Amino acid sequence: MNTNLSFCYDRLQVDGTGYANLAKSGLKWQEWDFHWPRTVKIRILKFFKNNDYSYKETSVDESESGSWYPIGISWFDFDCDYLGLIPAKTLNKIKNGDLKILFYYHEGDNPYRIKERLEFLCEKYMMPENCYLFISANTAANNIENFVYFNDHESFFASINRRQSSNIAVNKKRLYDFTALSRAHKWWRATCILDLKRHNILTNSIWSYHSNCDIEDSFENNPIDFSEIKMDHNDLKDFVNSGPYVYDKNFEKHNDHRFVNLDPLKQSYFNLVIETHFDADQSNGVFLTEKTFKPIKFGQPFIIIGTANSLKLLRSAGYKTFDSVIDNSYDSIENNTERWKAVRNTILSIKKESPEKLFEKCYADIIHNQYHFTHRIKENLNYIIKEINCRR
């Protein structure tokens, strides 16, 4: 399929493909992510390639009018002057309307804050307000001018994990109630795991908490109010300091999504998905990652410990969320602490009622989700291609 999209670069690689715009010279593509300003090739191009979608890559000098100047962002740095890093010749072409910037960001940071930063930079360089399109994985982007939401992680997982079969005997008797795996340490995640433990919900479960994987999350930024769930600060700190609590010894492979370790999924009935954000950076948006799409592909019903309206977003994308079996009322609760308490109560009710029996009742939705996931990537790509083309 021809996307009718053309992308241009200040530098091309030996094979004629683009060298990530703004990236430091002389790096291998694997190194772009580890050097400031941490700009990379937009990974939607990999989705295009894996699904036989054609597009053009040229130099800025050879670009045709209406081409996109892609800036893939690994981590948005609010101190970075992204426009100031664009070569003057290229910036003039953008200012004159010959090119437009396509920012691509697969994280869930608050897009309203990013918009403020970009407005400041556009004013600084006297750029037209519509000189860019910003693609964000946070649904709040759809409410912002020059921004658009794209569920990058759904397409990413479908693409990178495409060679691993999803055929699991979903009706096979299992040993454990829940799987709850948490990698990077965040205080809200520690709060949830400890709260489940002290309510004896994680007995007979596969769970982990890698407190030694520290991303410098602030204790004060925890969106869950300790006093509301009667948790002592010192108990939480003791729990974290006593870790890590490891189930999967191949810890270094947690982020290698090409082949997922299926043992913890095959051995338990329900997946407690501990997502990346619980409040999506105070944006009121939804951010879903491969953590949610793993149980969808590999045949588990799930409860999402994440942002409000996560299940609503999945339903809008055609997935089933086991509403006739599980109390999913937690999903619509916007207050973070109240939502957590409702999530915990839902998990507790599953444990009391019998995870095995409820799993059997979820069977039809599980099969639907597995089939739907395998057919969603082209629907997603067609959507974002249309959005990009109509913004040229």
Side-chain angles (χ1 to χ4, degrees):
M1 176 179 173
N2 187 354
T3 65
N4 295 315
L5 293 173
S6 180
F7 305 95
C8 64
Y9 303 84
D10 295 307
R11 290 162 288 178
L12 296 177
Q13 301 182 94
V14 175
D15 62 1
T17 61
Y19 186 97
N21 287 324
L22 311 191
K24 182 181 177 182
S25 299
L27 300 176
K28 297 178 181 179
W29 70 265
Q30 301 97 324
E31 299 174 315
W32 293 331
D33 188 25
F34 300 99
H35 291 78
W36 187 88
R38 298 181 67 174
T39 56
V40 296
K41 287 284 287 291
I42 61 174
R43 67 186 191 185
I44 197 173
L45 299 186
K46 188 171 291 186
F47 308 156
F48 289 162
K49 184 177 181 180
N50 289 343
N51 290 277
D52 298 320
Y53 284 69
S54 63
Y55 56 90
K56 292 181 182 178
E57 289 189 280
T58 69
S59 67
V60 168
D61 289 337
E62 297 176 343
S63 63
E64 56 193 46
S65 181
S67 295
W68 292 94
Y69 181 80
I71 300 177
I73 299 174
S74 176
W75 174 72
F76 192 90
D77 183 352
F78 284 86
D79 294 323
C80 178
D81 186 344
Y82 290 101
L83 298 190
L85 294 176
I86 299 174
K89 178 179 62 175
T90 304
L91 197 64
N92 283 333
K93 283 197 169 191
I94 297 169
K95 185 178 294 188
N96 294 333
D98 296 324
L99 306 176
K100 290 186 77 168
I101 304 171
L102 183 67
F103 289 104
Y104 188 92
Y105 193 36
H106 63 267
E107 295 292 350
D109 305 22
N110 191 326
Y112 293 102
R113 295 172 184 162
I114 293 174
K115 172 69 171 177
E116 290 179 3
R117 175 61 178 168
L118 294 181
E119 284 182 343
F120 170 82
L121 293 177
C122 285
E123 184 175 347
K124 176 180 177 180
Y125 291 96
M126 295 182 288
M127 302 292 289
E129 292 182 358
N130 65 344
C131 69
Y132 70 87
L133 174 65
F134 195 105
I135 297 176
S136 167
N138 184 322
T139 59
N142 278 341
N143 302 320
I144 306 172
E145 189 176 2
N146 300 332
F147 277 61
V148 64
Y149 165 71
F150 175 62
N151 194 330
D152 167 273
H153 288 264
E154 181 182 11
S155 298
F156 169 72
F157 186 62
S159 180
I160 198 170
N161 189 255
R162 64 191 182 279
R163 293 188 177 92
Q164 187 172 16
S165 171
S166 62
N167 293 327
I168 293 179
V170 295
N171 58 343
K172 184 178 179 181
K173 186 173 180 63
R174 305 182 177 200
L175 297 175
Y176 300 100
D177 298 332
F178 306 110
T179 290
L181 304 179
S182 183
R183 190 180 70 88
H185 162 57
K186 295 182 180 180
W187 287 106
W188 72 264
R189 286 175 169 172
T191 301
C192 296
I193 292 290
L194 179 57
D195 203 24
L196 293 175
K197 270 181 56 51
R198 66 182 190 163
H199 283 84
N200 297 316
I201 294 174
L202 293 181
T203 57
N204 195 46
S205 290
I206 297 171
W207 69 276
S208 65
Y209 190 81
H210 292 277
S211 49
N212 58 340
C213 182
D214 192 351
I215 58 173
E216 300 182 358
D217 182 55
S218 171
F219 187 82
E220 290 72 25
N221 287 339
N222 192 333
I224 300 173
D225 187 339
F226 295 106
S227 64
E228 290 293 321
I229 60 172
K230 297 181 174 58
M231 181 179 290
D232 185 87
H233 290 197
N234 292 326
D235 289 343
L236 180 61
K237 290 179 179 179
D238 287 344
F239 168 74
V240 172
N241 291 334
S242 298
Y245 308 88
V246 179
Y247 165 77
D248 185 354
K249 294 182 180 179
N250 294 318
F251 172 70
E252 69 279 0
K253 294 186 178 181
H254 268 274
N255 272 346
D256 184 0
H257 305 303
R258 291 171 295 178
F259 289 93
V260 174
N261 177 11
L262 300 182
D263 288 341
L265 281 71
K266 291 189 293 185
Q267 295 185 66
S268 65
Y269 290 109
F270 283 79
N271 197 300
L272 310 183
V273 178
I274 305 172
E275 262 296 355
T276 298
H277 289 294
F278 198 68
D279 65 350
D281 201 18
Q282 299 85 51
S283 65
N284 292 321
V286 180
F287 178 61
L288 296 177
T289 70
E290 81 289 336
K291 300 174 186 67
T292 292
F293 295 104
K294 284 179 182 179
I296 285 177
K297 177 174 180 176
F298 295 115
Q300 274 188 308
F302 50 86
I303 296 88
I304 296 182
I305 304 173
T307 58
N309 299 312
S310 293
L311 298 181
K312 182 179 180 181
L313 179 63
L314 287 174
R315 292 186 205 106
S316 71
Y319 290 104
K320 304 290 187 180
T321 55
F322 323 105
D323 299 317
S324 63
V325 181
I326 302 171
D327 178 6
N328 284 325
S329 59
Y330 68 84
D331 187 59
S332 62
I333 301 174
E334 305 227 341
N335 179 280
N336 292 316
T337 305
E338 293 302 316
R339 185 169 69 260
W340 165 244
K341 290 194 290 185
V343 170
R344 183 191 62 200
N345 290 340
T346 291
I347 299 169
L348 184 59
S349 68
I350 292 171
K351 187 173 181 68
K352 288 181 176 178
E353 191 168 345
S354 169
E356 181 179 4
K357 291 181 180 178
L358 295 178
F359 179 88
E360 292 174 359
K361 293 180 180 179
C362 293
Y363 185 84
D365 284 0
I366 291 170
I367 298 302
H368 168 88
N369 285 346
Q370 287 188 299
Y371 178 85
H372 189 62
F373 177 78
T374 62
H375 293 79
R376 274 277 295 169
I377 188 165
K378 289 196 173 182
E379 180 181 335
N380 281 341
L381 294 181
N382 292 340
Y383 159 76
I384 199 60
I385 290 167
K386 181 180 178 182
E387 288 293 324
I388 296 173
N389 277 323
C390 75
R391 310 293 181 103
R392 285 197 293 191

